[in-house]
Amino acid sequence: MIEKHIEHTLLKPEATTADIIKLCMEARNHNFLGVCVNPCFVPLAKHLLAGTEVKVVTVVGFPLGCDEPEVKAAAAQRAVQNGADEVDMVINIGALKGRDNAFAVEDIRQVVEAAGSAPVKVIIETCLLNEEEKIRACGMIAKGGAAFVKTSTGFNKAGATVEDVALLSAEAQKLGLRVKAAGGIRDYATARAMLEAGAERLGCSAGVKLAEEERLECGAAAADEAQA
């Protein structure tokens, strides 16, 4: 079921408390894997999802990745103290593109250390990178000790593509990483293609729509089998 891959996401700056309550209630009702919210909403989401298996995920250095490593680390530590189960950080994209590998790895390492037992996903913003940079980013993420490579913030010029997910998945398998696709996943067909390409998690705001489309498709398939 696709619900077990979805991190139901609301990171828009104009999101209100009422919006987050709605998001969390949808996640409870559909038993999504998690919700992904901005840090200020972590305590509320944790309260609303108490007693469920829905994870609370938040973001660090979002959406640009340009904070100092110490600032990202402090934000990650605070988020976990407030109840975040997982942390999605943005890689320092300029360091990656400028081949300042040591700085980029240290940036990741500090967040991973500050997050403790909470898994860290590293957003690399694939739409800004060439193939070599995407592959090199995976190596940095593994070296920094993070758990996932994540395609996109959803706030840049493009989100996840099936081709990028396949590329990252092939590299991730070599390095012991997992893949989260995010950005622009608005229908079940796209979501299924991302999973088939190797994504384990899907970060999207259209989680309810995807779940409903899956049920419709499965229902239609069952009806066809019954008539055969």
Side-chain angles (χ1 to χ4, degrees), residues 123-206:
I123 306 167
I124 65 173
E125 206 70 284
T126 48
C127 66
L128 301 180
L129 308 178
N130 61 37
E131 183 172 317
E132 184 275 333
E133 290 164 342
K134 294 167 192 173
I135 292 171
R136 184 156 44 86
C138 289
M140 292 177 184
I141 292 165
K143 193 170 183 180
F148 283 78
V149 55
K150 177 179 170 182
T151 60
S152 320
T153 63
F155 281 72
N156 216 293
K157 59 186 179 181
T161 68
V162 173
E163 293 75 18
D164 278 336
V165 169
L167 173 68
L168 296 178
S169 178
E171 198 63 24
Q173 287 178 26
K174 303 173 191 174
L175 299 167
L177 298 174
R178 297 146 80 186
V179 178
K180 176 178 174 180
I185 305 171
R186 300 186 181 93
D187 58 71
Y188 176 64
T190 301
R192 187 172 62 183
M194 296 290 180
L195 295 175
E196 290 172 351
E200 181 176 320
R201 304 281 188 90
L202 302 173
C204 53
S205 59

Side-chain angles (χ1 to χ4, degrees), residues 52-184:
T52 75
E53 295 182 353
V54 182
K55 299 177 186 294
V56 176
V57 184
T58 195
V59 290
V60 165
F62 191 89
L64 302 178
C66 296
D67 293 318
E68 293 177 304
E70 295 79 7
V71 173
K72 289 181 180 176
Q77 184 179 47
R78 177 68 173 174
V80 172
Q81 289 171 347
N82 281 341
D85 298 300
E86 298 183 357
V87 173
D88 290 14
M89 68 171 287
V90 183
I91 199 168
N92 189 301
I93 301 167
L96 168 60
K97 293 189 74 69
R99 304 191 73 84
D100 192 350
N101 296 356
F103 181 89
V105 170
E106 177 63 12
D107 186 50
I108 296 165
R109 188 199 64 77
Q110 287 197 30
V111 172
V112 170
E113 185 175 293
S117 61
V120 173
K121 309 185 200 79
V122 182
I123 306 167
I124 65 173
E125 206 70 284
T126 48
C127 66
L128 301 180
L129 308 178
N130 61 37
E131 183 172 317
E132 184 275 333
E133 290 164 342
K134 294 167 192 173
I135 292 171
R136 184 156 44 86
C138 289
M140 292 177 184
I141 292 165
K143 193 170 183 180
F148 283 78
V149 55
K150 177 179 170 182
T151 60
S152 320
T153 63
F155 281 72
N156 216 293
K157 59 186 179 181
T161 68
V162 173
E163 293 75 18
D164 278 336
V165 169
L167 173 68
L168 296 178
S169 178
E171 198 63 24
Q173 287 178 26
K174 303 173 191 174
L175 299 167
L177 298 174
R178 297 146 80 186
V179 178
K180 176 178 174 180

